[in-house]
Amino acid sequence: MADVEMTAASDADWVRVTSDDGYSFLVRRKVANASETMRDMLDTAGNYAEAIARVCPVQQRGVIVEKLLEYMSFKAHYADAGPRDEIPVHEFMDRIPPEIVLELLLAADYQNM
């Protein structure tokens, strides 16, 4: 019985993020909460279908959703960094292909990141 309760509790920590072209990504809820839009979707007090199913559809191509999630992971990882901590922003920036920058910027704006 304890194993079932532990499994249910750990499952709640994961969220599925889907793209328009059929890609699906599993991320920790902490990472999904880096987006205000996803945080609102996953708020259980709102009784949204996304919160119940723990699935956030993002109306973007998979490559854009992947980069959004990379940034959200980066942001969640460094959320507790102090003002004097070195945050390797260029490490993330170097992984963004120039041909998707504008589309990624618009998607990030919609996600309120």
Side-chain angles (χ1 to χ4, degrees):
M1 180 97 166
D3 290 340
V4 173
E5 289 173 11
M6 191 169 124
T7 303
S10 65
D11 285 347
D13 290 339
W14 291 92
V15 175
R16 182 177 305 278
V17 179
T18 60
S19 68
D20 270 353
D21 52 358
Y23 289 93
S24 181
F25 305 90
L26 284 175
V27 296
R28 293 263 183 203
R29 185 176 296 268
K30 177 182 178 181
V31 171
N33 285 339
S35 159
E36 288 181 29
T37 304
M38 286 188 201
R39 183 179 21 212
D40 290 344
M41 281 187 215
L42 295 169
D43 185 15
T44 55
N47 284 332
Y48 294 116
E50 294 87 356
I52 295 167
R54 292 191 317 265
V55 175
C56 289
V58 177
Q59 295 179 347
Q60 295 289 332
R61 299 181 302 141
V63 66
I64 301 300
V65 175
E66 180 181 24
K67 289 299 175 187
L68 284 173
L69 293 173
E70 274 186 53
Y71 174 72
M72 291 162 60
S73 296
F74 184 85
K75 186 176 177 180
H77 179 75
Y78 289 103
D80 298 329
R84 295 188 181 256
D85 291 337
E86 183 71 28
I87 300 175
V89 176
H90 294 289
E91 177 185 310
F92 176 76
M93 299 292 285
D94 292 341
R95 294 194 313 251
I96 300 174
E99 61 272 10
I100 68 166
V101 169
L102 182 59
E103 192 176 357
L104 184 59
L105 180 63
L106 292 171
D109 182 54
Y110 180 78
Q111 291 295 323
N112 292 324
M113 300 189 327

